[in-house]
Amino acid sequence: MQRQYKLWLLVICCFCGGAWAEGQPPLAQTVKVTTLSTMLANDGLGEWGYAALVEVDGKRILFDTGARPDVVLQNAKELGVDLSTVEDVVISHFHGDHTGGLLTLRRAMSATNPKALSRLHVGAGVTQPRFNLQRQQRNSFIDVASAFRATGGQITEHAGPVQILPGVWFSGPVERKYDESNWNPGLLVQRDGKYVADNVAEDSSLFIPTKEGTIIVTGCGHAGIMNIADAAKQVTKSASLLAVIGGIHLYGKPDPVLVRTAAHLKGLRYLVGGHCTGIEALFRLRELLGLSRNTAVVETVGSSFSLSSGITAGDIAGWVGPDS
Ligand SMILES: [Zn+2]
Ligand SMILES: [Zn+2]
């Protein structure tokens, strides 16, 4: 990079208030994440599932699609969220509680805009067959993907981190440096001709670097939030984490795991823990991370996190209002 060009970038970043470092991806200026499916609901319907609308600098992505075919459709309507203008959709992994609304939403929204929810991003291997102990195939997303293509939708499998929109990174499959084992045992996958436990290898998250740190949006966190946080730091070239939003699958974990996880996430400023995070785990992480009722809440349908105003959630989420 020429010296003059470098200096100009530095000047521009100073005006933007950004902590720009060479090689660091562009920083998002405005970010809002609105929850459309999780168990608790301020407005709309709760379900065991996950979905959120991610808005970054005027671009919008639907992250996961809930469990039941109609819940995200109904919740979006009730919350006044227009999904017909959203063209990119992410599926974090193959489980039905994240993929169940995809076809309903694509069909309903494409009636208004043929491009609505037409570009689907997934981690490599999401359509790999999974088997129960009786060796029956159990990956329902294989059929969902075929039906999605039949609507004219395009699916892109990403084997590694990729910027899918300016300022928004899709992680692709995450390296499992730490043995967090954040998935329910029971399903198998074939590797080298043998059946082994399915660790949901394709599990992928979104990373959004900002001047205040990186925002992570994760569906079920099967890759493990410590692994996901390390991947986010590597991709964004920033050591600071601003927010973790979504499911991190700690609901059944014993206290030492929560202590280890909190130590790894030290410095995290916001935790919006929905879906499989677990309510007990959320409160314990709040305590261990030194967060408050305004900075660590149980995620609800209709709650949101924005870069400008932090968390906005109902009192049902344990939120008491903006920090004074
Ligand atoms: Zn899952
Ligand atoms: Zn899930």
Side-chain angles (χ1 to χ4, degrees):
M1 194 187 289
Q2 288 180 0
R3 192 158 177 261
Q4 201 177 13
Y5 180 53
K6 239 179 182 175
L7 276 172
W8 269 113
L9 269 180
L10 197 60
V11 169
I12 290 164
C13 277
C14 286
F15 274 112
C16 297
W20 180 79
E22 187 172 4
Q24 194 176 7
L27 303 175
Q29 303 296 313
T30 62
V31 181
K32 186 177 181 189
V33 180
T34 305
T35 308
L36 296 174
S37 165
T38 186
M39 280 83 80
L40 279 180
N42 281 318
D43 300 300
L45 301 169
E47 62 168 352
W48 176 271
Y50 193 71
L53 178 68
V54 178
E55 300 172 271
V56 178
D57 294 337
K59 308 278 186 190
R60 303 159 86 219
I61 298 170
L62 179 64
F63 180 89
D64 283 343
T65 61
R68 294 168 195 238
D70 294 332
V71 166
V72 172
L73 186 68
Q74 286 189 45
N75 286 350
K77 213 177 279 179
E78 191 163 328
L79 295 166
V81 172
D82 181 9
L83 294 176
S84 71
T85 55
V86 180
E87 297 183 2
D88 289 276
V89 55
V90 160
I91 288 292
S92 61
H93 64 295
F94 83 95
H95 288 156
D97 52 332
H98 300 254
T99 63
L102 179 65
L103 294 175
T104 307
L105 290 163
R106 165 73 182 143
R107 288 171 183 144
M109 296 302 127
S110 61
T112 309
N113 170 17
K115 288 185 177 173
L117 306 177
S118 62
R119 292 191 297 266
L120 174 59
H121 304 272
V122 294
V126 71
T127 52
Q128 194 175 13
R130 322 291 161 117
F131 303 90
N132 63 13
L133 297 179
Q134 290 73 44
R135 304 294 192 265
Q136 294 161 322
Q137 208 287 113
R138 283 290 181 261
N139 184 347
S140 58
F141 188 68
I142 296 171
D143 290 340
V144 172
S146 300
F148 179 79
R149 286 196 180 95
T151 70
Q154 292 183 330
I155 303 178
T156 309
E157 284 199 24
H158 301 287
V162 58
Q163 198 174 188
I164 56 173
L165 288 176
V168 183
W169 289 79
F170 179 82
S171 71
V174 168
E175 186 189 351
R176 308 291 174 93
K177 285 159 64 175
Y178 311 103
D179 182 21
E180 296 180 78
S181 301
N182 273 1
W183 66 89
N184 291 336
L187 285 182
L188 305 170
V189 68
Q190 281 186 307
R191 279 202 198 114
D192 302 325
K194 289 184 183 157
Y195 287 95
V196 299
D198 175 29
N199 67 356
V200 201
E202 78 277 9
D203 185 57
S204 301
S205 301
L206 289 184
F207 304 148
I208 307 163
T210 79
K211 65 181 188 295
E212 295 187 47
T214 300
I215 298 167
I216 295 174
V217 183
T218 182
C220 238
H222 292 304
I225 191 59
M226 299 198 305
N227 290 320
I228 294 168
D230 277 19
K233 287 174 186 175
Q234 197 174 3
V235 168
T236 63
K237 297 183 169 54
S238 165
S240 75
L241 288 179
L242 177 63
V244 170
I245 303 166
I248 55 175
H249 215 266
L250 292 171
Y251 65 96
K253 297 291 184 187
D255 200 60
V257 172
L258 302 178
V259 170
R260 181 171 83 131
T261 303
H264 201 83
L265 297 178
K266 194 165 184 268
L268 179 71
R269 289 170 49 200
Y270 292 95
L271 176 59
V272 186
H275 183 36
C276 54
T277 301
I279 291 170
E280 288 288 341
L282 183 284
F283 287 119
R284 185 70 175 121
L285 288 175
R286 173 195 284 178
E287 185 182 34
L288 291 163
L289 287 162
L291 298 175
S292 72
R293 287 181 72 173
N294 289 322
T295 55
V297 302
V298 178
E299 190 169 4
T300 65
V301 173
S303 67
S304 66
F305 172 84
S306 77
L307 191 53
S308 56
S309 34
I311 296 170
T312 302
D315 52 6
I316 195 172
W319 183 79
V320 292
D323 279 323
S324 53

